[in-house]
């Protein structure tokens, strides 16, 4: 199984709502990532978890709150978002080891619309 | 983080080789160069990666210059299904960070 599964595929939420994005992998990967991608732009790194601990936060606003409950799951909790936060949110995972076998696997993304 | 830069778009005739360049002039010694592609806003798909040496797999070849400041992804016989956005990515093994370049929109023409 080389899949990273993201749910939901599409999400529409109001600016006062609280919602969560979910990501799951069963490849035994110990690094997991959240990326944000605006239309016609490259994905931008938001967070990196390694061994279930948050290792990198790329100065992301606190209205985005990541959580890694176990080595297979990654959540992104959303609260009080703005319309400009509308984007494709991508989850990825990788082996988190030094050396050559470190390709990341990406999910298909959650397309988020904030109204 | 260092930035990689790529041409915005390229066209290639079907059956011909597609050569996609990437400039990573500030890459450091422990950063790998990865290439991914993304079709119709699906998740990015891995193509190939390398550190210093040229690499080849069933999908593509990767040529890295000796000074490591640039690289070229080669799709040897492009098909219509290779139409996608191709990203050159810097990976830092110490932090597990994959940083995407600006991307090249490749259109393969029949």
């Amino acid at each position: 199984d080389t899949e990273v599964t993201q749910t939901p595929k599409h999400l529409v939420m109001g600016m006062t709502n609280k919602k969560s994005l979910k990501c799951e992998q069963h490849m035994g990967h110990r690094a997991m990532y959240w990326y944000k991608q605006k239309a016609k732009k490259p994905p931008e790194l938001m967070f990196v978890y390694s061994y279930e601990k948050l290792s990198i936060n790329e100065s992301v606003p606190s209205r985005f709150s990541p959580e890694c409950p176990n080595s297979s799951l990654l959540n992104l909790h959303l609260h009080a978002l703005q319309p400009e936060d509308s984007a494709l949110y991508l989850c990825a995972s990788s082996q988190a080891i030094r050396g050559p076998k470190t390709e990341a696997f990406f999910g298909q993304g959650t397309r988020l619309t904030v109204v | 983080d260092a930035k990689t830069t790529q041409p915005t778009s390229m066209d290639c005739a079907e059956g011909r080789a597609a050569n996609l360049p990437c400039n990573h002039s500030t890459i450091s010694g422990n950063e790998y160069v990865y290439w991914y592609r993304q079709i119709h806003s699906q998740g990015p798909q891995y193509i190939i990666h390398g550190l210093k040496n040229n690499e080849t797999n069933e999908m593509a070849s990767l040529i890295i210059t000796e000074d490591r400041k640039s690289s070229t992804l080669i799709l040897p016989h492009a098909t219509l299904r290779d139409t996608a956005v191709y990203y050159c990515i810097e990976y830092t093994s110490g932090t597990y960070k994959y940083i995407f370049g600006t991307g090249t929109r490749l259109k393969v023409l029949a």
Side-chain angles (χ1 to χ4, degrees), chain A residues 33 35 37 41-43 56 58 88 94 96 98-100 102-104 106-108 111, chain B residues 1 32 34 36 38 41-44 46 49 87 91 94-101:
Chain A
Y33 310 78
Y35 285 82
Q37 186 175 26
K41 296 291 187 182
I56 293 173
E58 294 286 291
L88 181 68
S94 72
R98 299 175 192 274
T102 50
E103 67 191 82
F106 283 81
Q108 294 304 297
R111 186 158 300 283
Chain B
D1 291 314
Y32 288 76
Y34 279 70
Y36 279 69
Q38 188 174 30
S41 292
Q42 297 176 15
Y46 169 79
H49 74 280
Y87 290 106
Y91 170 74
T95 60
Y96 315 124
K97 287 173 70 168
Y98 296 83
I99 302 299
F100 282 71

Side-chain angles (χ1 to χ4, degrees), chain A residues 22-47:
Chain A
K22 297 185 184 302
C23 174
E24 190 168 6
Q25 57 88 15
H26 296 288
M27 294 176 278
H29 289 171
R30 303 307 295 274
M32 295 187 77
Y33 310 78
W34 283 113
Y35 285 82
K36 174 183 177 179
Q37 186 175 26
K38 301 284 278 185
K40 299 192 185 303
K41 296 291 187 182
E44 293 181 3
L45 182 64
M46 300 175 72
F47 303 104

Side-chain angles (χ1 to χ4, degrees), chain A:
Chain A
D1 182 6
T2 57
E3 275 196 6
V4 174
T5 303
Q6 290 187 243
T7 54
K9 289 189 172 21
H10 300 274
L11 178 62
V12 179
M13 62 184 289
M15 289 188 283
T16 59
N17 291 160
K18 287 185 181 180
K19 296 286 185 183
S20 297
L21 309 185
K22 297 185 184 302
C23 174
E24 190 168 6
Q25 57 88 15
H26 296 288
M27 294 176 278
H29 289 171
R30 303 307 295 274
M32 295 187 77
Y33 310 78
W34 283 113
Y35 285 82
K36 174 183 177 179
Q37 186 175 26
K38 301 284 278 185
K40 299 192 185 303
K41 296 291 187 182
E44 293 181 3
L45 182 64
M46 300 175 72
F47 303 104
V48 180
Y49 272 82
S50 57
Y51 297 89
E52 295 89 69
K53 293 193 187 320
L54 182 65
S55 57
I56 293 173
N57 176 342
E58 294 286 291
S59 303
V60 179
S62 59
R63 58 185 183 270
F64 296 91
S65 175
E67 178 197 21
C68 189
N70 60 54
S71 60
S72 299
L73 294 175
L74 185 66
N75 299 321
L76 186 63
H77 303 298
L78 314 173
H79 174 54
L81 294 194
Q82 303 296 311
E84 58 264 29
D85 296 321
S86 299
L88 181 68
Y89 288 83
L90 293 162
C91 174
S93 70
S94 72
Q95 286 184 327
I97 57 173
R98 299 175 192 274
K101 291 205 179 295
T102 50
E103 67 191 82
F105 292 79
F106 283 81
Q108 294 304 297
T110 294
R111 186 158 300 283
L112 174 68
T113 303
V114 181
V115 297

